[in-house]
């Protein structure tokens, strides 16, 4: 597609429910990132993929968070047993390649997760 | 580790007036610097970036920024703002040493409001 696509745009989950957030990166983009943006804050890094390999998951806040990108294209961020503090906008970004060149990252519109 | 400080959380400016949004960073290694803009209910869009060379960089929509290494700053400026510039602006950095993993560290954002 022309840009990074995320679905759903909005998700309301009951506390304790599992959720799955999807990201379709720009075709051909090697690098894929997930960020979490709490209300009134800047985005914070969660995890990074280069093709299907998850090279950095240092930002995942707990073992309830899991991300995958099995075929090096679409990625899914899964949150198990959601809690209220998980409420945030989850942003996905992709770039051509992480080659230390300051490659531009293109962001999706995000998924706003509200846990009630 | 890196950190980015945007001291001004909100900046109101009259239409056609100049504006400066401040950004300071802290890092033990050299960094690339970015400004992103986020319009309501939209994803982040790159305004401009500094990788190397001239310290004055020009971006889209008439914005420019100047990298000052001694002051570890990367302030964003526009000589005359328009109503359409109303948005949230984020300063971000990537450590140059993170070859292959260009995760961004963001500031908390500055909300620019243009007053007609």
């Amino acid at each position: 597609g022309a840009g990074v696509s995320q679905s759903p745009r909005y998700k309301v989950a009951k506390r304790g429910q599992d959720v799955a957030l999807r990201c379709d990166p720009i075709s051909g983009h090697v690098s894929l990132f997930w960020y979490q943006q709490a209300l009134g804050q800047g985005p914070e890094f969660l995890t990074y993929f280069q093709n299907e390999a998850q090279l950095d998951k240092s930002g995942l806040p707990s073992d309830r968070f899991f991300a995958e990108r099995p075929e090096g294209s679409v990625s899914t961020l899964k949150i198990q047993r959601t809690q209220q503090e998980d409420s945030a906008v989850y942003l996905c970004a992709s770039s051509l390649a992480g080659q230390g060149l300051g490659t531009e990252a293109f962001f999706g519109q995000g998924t706003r997760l509200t846990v009630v | 580790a890196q950190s980015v400080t945007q001291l001004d959380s909100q900046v109101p400016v009259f239409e056609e007036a100049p504006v400066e949004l401040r950004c300071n960073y802290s890092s033990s290694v050299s960094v690339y610097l970015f400004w992103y803009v986020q319009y309501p209910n939209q994803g982040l869009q790159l305004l401009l970036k500094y990788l190397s060379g001239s310290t004055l960089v020009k971006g889209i929509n008439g914005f420019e920024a100047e990298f000052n290494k001694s002051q570890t700053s990367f302030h964003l400026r526009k000589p005359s703002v328009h109503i359409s510039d109303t948005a949230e602006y984020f300063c971000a950095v990537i450590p140059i040493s993170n070859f292959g993993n260009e995760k961004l560290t963001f500031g908390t954002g500055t909300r620019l409001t243009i007053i007609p």
Side-chain angles (χ1 to χ4, degrees), chain A residues 90-113:
Chain A
Y90 290 85
L91 297 168
C92 177
S94 70
S95 67
L96 270 173
Q99 297 182 353
L101 297 177
T103 312
E104 178 179 352
F106 293 85
F107 283 80
Q109 291 182 292
T111 293
R112 182 178 297 277
L113 173 65

Side-chain angles (χ1 to χ4, degrees), chain A residues 9-10 31 33 35 37 40-45 48 50 55-56 58 89 91 95 97-110 112, chain B residues 6 32 34 36 38 40-47 49-51 88 90 94-109 111:
Chain A
R9 287 292 313 280
Y10 304 92
S31 297
F33 304 83
Y35 292 86
Q37 186 176 17
Q41 300 296 314
E44 291 193 356
F45 171 79
Y48 161 68
Q50 193 168 85
L55 300 185
D56 187 344
S58 61
V89 175
L91 297 168
S95 67
Q99 297 182 353
L101 297 177
T103 312
E104 178 179 352
F106 293 85
F107 283 80
Q109 291 182 292
R112 182 178 297 277
Chain B
Q6 293 180 250
Y32 296 129
F34 304 78
Y36 278 85
Q38 188 174 37
N41 297 316
Q42 299 291 320
L44 294 160
Q45 180 182 2
L46 182 66
L47 268 181
K49 62 183 178 182
Y50 173 78
L51 304 183
E88 189 93 20
F90 292 96
I94 291 174
I96 295 176
S97 62
N98 262 19
F99 187 87
N101 180 354
E102 299 191 324
K103 61 183 180 183
L104 291 152
T105 298
F106 287 89
T108 51
R111 181 172 298 278

Side-chain angles (χ1 to χ4, degrees), chain A residues 13-64:
Chain A
K14 290 185 178 179
R15 190 169 52 185
Q17 185 179 354
D18 297 349
V19 298
L21 312 180
R22 176 187 170 103
C23 173
D24 275 277
I26 294 173
S27 178
H29 277 195
V30 169
S31 297
L32 186 144
F33 304 83
W34 284 98
Y35 292 86
Q36 180 190 58
Q37 186 176 17
L39 190 64
Q41 300 296 314
E44 291 193 356
F45 171 79
L46 292 177
T47 187
Y48 161 68
F49 290 86
Q50 193 168 85
N51 295 308
E52 68 278 4
Q54 189 175 22
L55 300 185
D56 187 344
K57 54 182 181 179
S58 61
L60 296 176
S62 77
D63 59 7
R64 296 186 295 103

